[in-house]
Amino acid sequence: MHHTADLSVLNNCRRAHGVGYQHGDRKGCLRGTRETVLNEIESWARDFKKPPVFWLNGLAGTGKSTIAQTVSEQVFASGLLGASFFCSRDFEDRSDLRLIFPTLAFQLAHKYTTFRSVLVPLLRSNPDIVHESLMNQMEEIIAKPLKSADVWTVIVIDALDECKDGEPQSAILSVLGRFVERIPKVKFFITGRPEPRIKDGFRLPLLVDSTDVFVLHNVRPSLIDNDIRLFLRHELSEVARRRRVEGWPRDEHIDVLCDRAGGLFVYAVATVRFLDASTRLPERQLDVIVNLPECTVHEGKTRFNPRTTLDSLYTSILKAAFSEEDPEVDSKVRSTIGTVVLLVNPLPPPAIAELIGLDPREVTLFLTLVQSLLAFDEDSSQPVKPFHKSFPDFITDPSRCTDTRFWISPKILHLKLAMNCLRVMNDGLEQNLLSLPDYALNSEVKDLETRIDDQISDALRYACRSWHSHLTETEGDVADVISRLRVFLEEKFLGWLEVVSVLGAVSGAIAGLDQLILWLQEGLLDTARDYSQFVRTFFEPISVSATHIYHSALELSPFSSIVRKRY
């Protein structure tokens, strides 16, 4: 019974989902590849006399996450893996720094009973610790329980650069530097691009002497090329076997593809995905790539440079999918692909179609034509996201995606997505949408999940959770969005609060209102008097209770004592 109560406390703990190495369809390194770096990491993981932190430093597309997956599997097999967190900017919770330590603590508590015996009483006495500063989180729910547990363990954090972090030096690394010496039996394996705040974080005096660094892009080129060649030969042989293609690929094909990759594993992966597209013959697809023009003399043959390797590949994949110029179709393609790239959390194709107002069949067709660039299953119930972060980097950068048919302007598309979110909410929200009994707590409604599934579509859920994220990224003429915002605030505000309540997203709603006010202040209004008048104009028509909720939200007061007592 005691164990069950402990699990109940842990399961109610705020954390990110799907971040462990065993979740999703992540693949490790092909056997026989990346041996130099894997051997060095394995030696570090087993020797607790070596520094407690290991930074796998690599440029975009050099294979950091694949190596992190393999390291996690190996360390797990040895019994040393305590927890893992694979960051991803494709998901709101997986890119939230504030959820890293609570999620690691949750996993460690499931792994080690001694850790759990310290953590659970703490969570009972101070459940809000998971909302406190990173420093407090690290000390109370990571360092203290680990010190008491007295276990040898390795913690893996992949793609730290994908977390949203406003600090000049990585906030996580700044905190980590203060505690690594206090927990000498714990090792941290961290991967990340060498962005300024990550580099500066590892250079902090408290961390610099406690960190081993392996720079992936400094590995001898011949070793990397050999690994890429092994990968291409293995994967394309599998494609040939499945597609029944004889005598393919030839050695010269592998040589050309390896040369084009320029040291980037992601190029090899994207190429295999393109050649294996179910709607095209792999031999014909290979001809498209092999016949791409070489990089210009001006660009040079720079290794590890997406601009001279990935850009031409991504452009040719898009042109092969949409060969005929048609302004109307091109606009829909940009809207569909751009939505996949800019969504706060991924959605399945039908929900994307509902959100952007297109025929679901059109959306599915567009996504199918570029499925080599996406994590996309033709099973329409699965969310769609970019197959690698290098693709959003490319398609939102006008200096790299030079074909205006495909370039996505984030500011413009965020405005359209904000408009679409408001349209979906204004059309779909109404007070007591789920027909819940008066004054009932959410926990008292036995069939709440069924009611949610029946009444709240994926697109409406997304709009209610994320409208403010898109709105606050917009610039330019916002007159149309303001008119929709007025309807939302005057007529749909209470209905929205009820939906975010049953979705368990009240804290995000409060943050969203804060973001809205800041956006209105900074982006639209010149003086405090104008702002005050604007707020009065917007909120006087709202009912007294809604105004009360609104002002409470601005003060970050809990919603628990306000309206219907459902929160």
Side-chain angles (χ1 to χ4, degrees), residues 513-532:
L513 291 175
D514 262 355
Q515 286 181 303
L516 170 64
I517 297 306
L518 284 173
W519 178 74
L520 290 171
Q521 283 177 311
E522 296 171 1
L524 296 179
L525 306 166
D526 295 328
T527 67
R529 189 174 64 180
D530 287 342
Y531 169 68
S532 175

Side-chain angles (χ1 to χ4, degrees), residues 414-464:
H414 275 303
L415 179 61
K416 290 181 179 177
L417 285 170
M419 291 276 288
N420 282 322
C421 285
L422 288 166
R423 171 184 53 78
V424 168
M425 290 192 296
N426 290 344
D427 289 348
L429 288 174
E430 57 185 65
Q431 203 162 332
N432 202 8
L433 182 64
L434 303 187
S435 303
L436 298 174
D438 288 343
Y439 305 107
L441 296 171
N442 290 336
S443 57
E444 296 171 347
V445 181
K446 298 275 189 278
D447 62 344
L448 183 62
E449 289 302 320
T450 301
R451 293 183 189 224
I452 291 172
D453 290 340
D454 288 346
Q455 297 296 327
I456 308 176
S457 69
D458 286 340
L460 181 56
R461 292 187 207 196
Y462 179 86
C464 288

Side-chain angles (χ1 to χ4, degrees), residues 529-550:
R529 189 174 64 180
D530 287 342
Y531 169 68
S532 175
Q533 178 62 42
F534 187 84
V535 170
R536 277 203 305 275
T537 302
F538 258 44
F539 283 89
E540 275 175 355
I542 302 174
S543 68
V544 173
S545 59
T547 307
H548 184 194
I549 292 172
Y550 165 68

Side-chain angles (χ1 to χ4, degrees), residues 240-423:
R241 183 185 59 78
R242 281 198 311 274
R243 307 289 288 275
R244 298 180 180 177
V245 184
E246 297 290 335
W248 182 91
R250 299 196 303 274
D251 287 345
E252 54 265 35
H253 292 149
I254 299 292
D255 291 341
V256 169
L257 295 178
C258 185
D259 185 54
R260 293 286 174 90
L264 293 177
F265 264 86
V266 67
Y267 183 100
V269 175
T271 297
V272 170
R273 293 172 62 89
F274 178 61
L275 298 181
D276 198 24
S278 58
T279 56
R280 307 286 178 96
L281 295 174
E283 311 98 297
R284 300 279 176 82
Q285 298 286 79
L286 181 57
D287 289 340
V288 171
I289 297 177
V290 169
N291 292 325
L292 285 176
E294 288 282 352
C295 61
T296 67
V297 175
H298 175 69
E299 288 173 329
K301 195 68 177 175
T302 310
R303 290 177 66 79
F304 305 113
N305 186 350
R307 293 173 185 270
T308 62
T309 51
L310 287 173
D311 294 3
S312 60
L313 176 64
Y314 289 160
T315 300
S316 55
I317 290 174
L318 290 167
K319 285 183 175 178
F322 308 105
S323 54
E324 295 182 14
E325 292 193 30
D326 181 327
E328 183 181 350
V329 171
D330 291 346
S331 174
K332 292 178 179 180
V333 168
R334 283 194 301 274
S335 183
T336 301
I337 296 176
T339 298
V340 171
V341 165
L342 295 183
L343 285 176
V344 177
N345 286 300
L347 288 172
I352 292 172
E354 182 183 346
L355 182 65
I356 62 178
L358 291 182
D359 187 315
R361 295 168 299 179
E362 274 190 308
V363 168
T364 300
L365 173 62
F366 297 151
L367 296 175
T368 302
L369 289 172
V370 290
Q371 62 183 331
S372 59
L373 300 174
L374 308 170
F376 170 59
D377 191 328
E378 293 185 38
D379 170 6
S380 64
S381 65
Q382 294 303 307
V384 185
K385 60 183 189 294
F387 93 101
H388 189 267
K389 37 269 187 194
S390 58
F391 177 59
D393 290 345
F394 158 77
I395 205 166
T396 57
D397 184 342
S399 71
R400 295 179 59 187
C401 183
T402 55
D403 190 327
T404 55
R405 292 178 61 209
F406 305 118
W407 172 60
I408 307 298
S409 168
K411 295 294 184 186
I412 292 173
L413 192 58
H414 275 303
L415 179 61
K416 290 181 179 177
L417 285 170
M419 291 276 288
N420 282 322
C421 285
L422 288 166
R423 171 184 53 78

